[in-house]
Amino acid sequence: MTDDELFEAVRARVGAGRPTDEISDVMAPEPASLSAVEEVERVVGLPLPPLVRRLYLEVADGGIGPFRGIYALREESAASGMLTAYIEGLNAVLDPVDPPLLPAGVLFFCPLHEMSVVLLDVRHPEGQMWWWEEGDRHKLDLTFPQWLEAWLGGRLTEQLMESRKLKDESWVGDWATEDLPPTMLELPDWP
């Protein structure tokens, strides 16, 4: 499917009252503002992949998509906003037994269940998908459009993601340390 076809299919599903895999009466939130999207891109230092950006701007600020839905760009009252989690992760002080931090440009994107999250690498033009499970991370042989298409087709499951893990699951091998931004970022004030 093309990005336009994926976009229209997501919009139709949200319009039909099925924004996520969870059964709920909760409606999808309003779309994000352009200033909110631009602020995320400024803090991360990279643009969101075009289809991701379009979904946030034209469909909803999170709360749509696979499993429990993608994170909102920022939630004031919870740590589940994508930008909040990103900044907190960059500022975290790790214990030696903790898993490594996410590299710059990799965002917590969609919760699966406790201690398991889908990650989005915005350094890839379409968005490389990763799976973070209890500190273990697995690069998936899926871009964001492929991941979304599998969801729309009813095929996106943990079993599918398990089967799409790549052999090279290195964290460091894919990201150079010089790409890391300053470690003491602060959450920007939004209007």
Side-chain angles (χ1 to χ4, degrees):
M1 295 176 81
T2 67
D3 280 5
D4 286 339
E5 291 168 331
L6 290 168
F7 176 83
E8 291 304 329
V10 171
R11 185 172 22 203
R13 182 173 167 140
V14 170
R18 298 180 303 120
T20 69
D21 292 333
E22 290 191 343
I23 298 172
S24 172
D25 293 336
V26 176
M27 300 297 293
E30 292 295 316
S33 68
L34 179 58
S35 63
V37 170
E38 288 174 342
E39 187 66 22
V40 168
E41 292 174 333
R42 184 190 66 73
V43 170
V44 174
L46 295 163
L48 293 174
L51 182 56
V52 173
R53 191 176 209 270
R54 187 172 179 201
L55 288 170
Y56 275 107
L57 287 170
E58 297 180 43
V59 178
D61 183 7
I64 62 171
F67 310 107
R68 298 183 341 215
I70 62 175
Y71 288 123
L73 294 176
R74 178 173 170 192
E75 288 186 25
E76 297 293 341
S77 62
S80 62
M82 187 167 52
L83 186 59
T84 303
Y86 182 74
I87 292 170
E88 287 176 357
L90 291 176
N91 289 328
V93 177
L94 296 181
D95 189 280
V97 297
D98 288 339
L101 295 175
L102 297 183
V106 179
L107 305 165
F108 287 105
F109 189 64
C110 179
L112 294 174
H113 48 74
E114 190 173 332
M115 302 301 292
S116 186
V117 178
V118 175
L119 308 172
L120 175 70
D121 180 352
V122 299
R123 291 172 304 170
H124 185 285
E126 292 183 311
Q128 174 70 49
M129 305 308 289
W130 285 76
W131 181 8
W132 172 280
E133 186 174 31
E134 297 183 19
D136 293 331
R137 56 249 167 237
H138 309 282
K139 188 175 187 178
L140 302 177
D141 184 23
L142 293 169
T143 62
F144 176 72
Q146 293 166 334
W147 183 77
L148 197 61
E149 185 173 355
W151 173 62
L152 290 165
R155 300 180 317 277
L156 187 61
T157 62
E158 287 186 51
Q159 291 79 16
L160 173 75
M161 291 194 308
E162 181 75 34
S163 73
R164 300 299 294 264
K165 287 181 188 176
L166 293 172
K167 297 277 187 227
D168 175 16
E169 297 176 5
S170 64
W171 221 213
V172 178
D174 292 325
W175 296 290
T177 55
E178 64 266 12
D179 291 338
L180 295 175
T183 57
M184 294 307 292
L185 292 173
E186 294 182 12
L187 197 58
D189 291 327
W190 286 354

